[in-house]
Amino acid sequence: MEQSDFITINGCELTMAIRRLGLSVGDVADLVVARVAFPEHEVRRVRQRYTRLAHNRYRLASGDDSVDMLVNDDGVILDYPGGWQAVAVAP
């Protein structure tokens, strides 16, 4: 999962996975997802591993890559290092 291979416009798909999994701190879950590679427009099967590190931190790993994400109390991703960051959060 190289950042240049895939386009992620926002964290909606990651937030949906986090919320659906409902992990407790220390839990790990593996998912298989479909991703569209650009510029080839090729659909690829990608394995993702979600680990809940703390109340507001998750690790997403795929292949040799991983990123630790900050989430709010609703599981909405606020910070995806190297990708994007929330600039405002509604109360």
Side-chain angles (χ1 to χ4, degrees), residues 4 8 17 28 31 42 44 46-47 52 60 62 64-65 73 76 79 83-86:
S4 59
T8 299
V28 176
L31 298 178
E42 180 180 299
R44 297 180 185 170
V46 177
R47 294 184 184 276
R52 189 161 190 183
L60 170 61
S62 184
D64 294 331
D65 299 323
D73 288 340
V76 176
D79 187 20
W84 43 265
Q85 184 177 33

Side-chain angles (χ1 to χ4, degrees), residues 58-70:
Y58 287 81
R59 175 169 294 138
L60 170 61
S62 184
D64 294 331
D65 299 323
S66 69
V67 63
D68 291 355
M69 302 173 289
L70 175 68

Side-chain angles (χ1 to χ4, degrees), residues 14-48:
L14 303 176
T15 293
M16 288 187 298
I18 286 172
R19 291 181 62 139
R20 186 178 77 232
L21 291 169
L23 301 177
S24 296
V25 175
D27 285 352
V28 176
D30 294 319
L31 298 178
V32 176
V33 300
R35 300 294 298 242
V36 179
F38 290 91
E40 303 89 2
H41 297 92
E42 180 180 299
V43 178
R44 297 180 185 170
R45 181 182 168 146
V46 177
R47 294 184 184 276
Q48 295 180 333

